Amino acid sequence: QVQLVESGGGVVQPGGSLRLSCVASGFNVEENIIAWFRQAPGRERERVSCISRGDVTYYRDSVKGRFTTGRDKGENAVYLQLNNLKPEDPATYLCAREIEPHPNEAYCPTFPSFYDFWGQGTQVTVSS
């Protein structure tokens, strides 16, 4: 049974850090494209980061230099390190698996419709 479970969210002050984890079961994260999305109330779901099968990483412009994603191979998980959190970052953060492995090892689709399995999300709040 394919499952994704996120954890690590919380409340931090502006400039603070969090480390989110997405633990997978039922498949191997090393063989799949995994993305982090976020969704704030009243806003569309947007891709924050993605790691391709070949470990190429992608970030939306607003988080470049602040967020880092990677695989925790021993845990069959993907993490998202959030540094220097800003007032525009609060949202529910969700991880997702791309629908099927792509032959291009650098491929990482942007839109939610390309992903089939989703976690339940973890809440990130930035407040002083």
Side-chain angles (χ1 to χ4, degrees):
Q1 179 181 358
V2 173
Q3 192 173 15
L4 295 166
V5 179
E6 303 95 335
S7 63
V11 181
V12 296
Q13 294 184 340
S17 297
L18 288 171
R19 184 178 177 95
L20 309 183
S21 180
C22 171
V23 178
S25 56
F27 72 98
N28 188 343
V29 296
E30 294 184 51
E31 299 174 357
N32 288 267
I33 298 164
I34 304 293
W36 284 92
F37 287 78
R38 67 185 180 188
Q39 187 163 22
R43 301 189 65 176
E44 292 188 355
R45 189 168 293 187
E46 59 185 24
R47 196 189 76 175
V48 176
S49 69
C50 184
I51 184 164
S52 74
R53 291 197 306 117
D55 288 339
V56 178
T57 54
Y58 299 86
Y59 303 92
R60 66 183 301 106
D61 287 345
S62 61
V63 308
K64 284 180 181 176
R66 301 190 296 122
F67 292 7
T68 305
T69 192
R71 290 184 172 90
D72 283 325
K73 297 177 182 179
E75 300 292 328
N76 199 35
V78 173
Y79 67 85
L80 181 66
Q81 177 70 38
L82 288 64
N83 295 330
N84 190 21
L85 281 159
K86 298 182 177 182
E88 59 264 34
D89 293 322
T92 298
Y93 283 70
L94 310 98
C95 62
R97 187 190 77 167
E98 198 265 346
I99 288 175
E100 61 181 59
H102 195 278
N104 181 347
E105 292 194 347
Y107 176 69
C108 249
T110 301
F111 299 105
S113 59
F114 286 88
Y115 296 82
D116 57 355
F117 285 97
W118 294 78
Q120 81 290 346
T122 186
Q123 184 66 40
V124 171
T125 302
V126 181
S127 175
S128 55

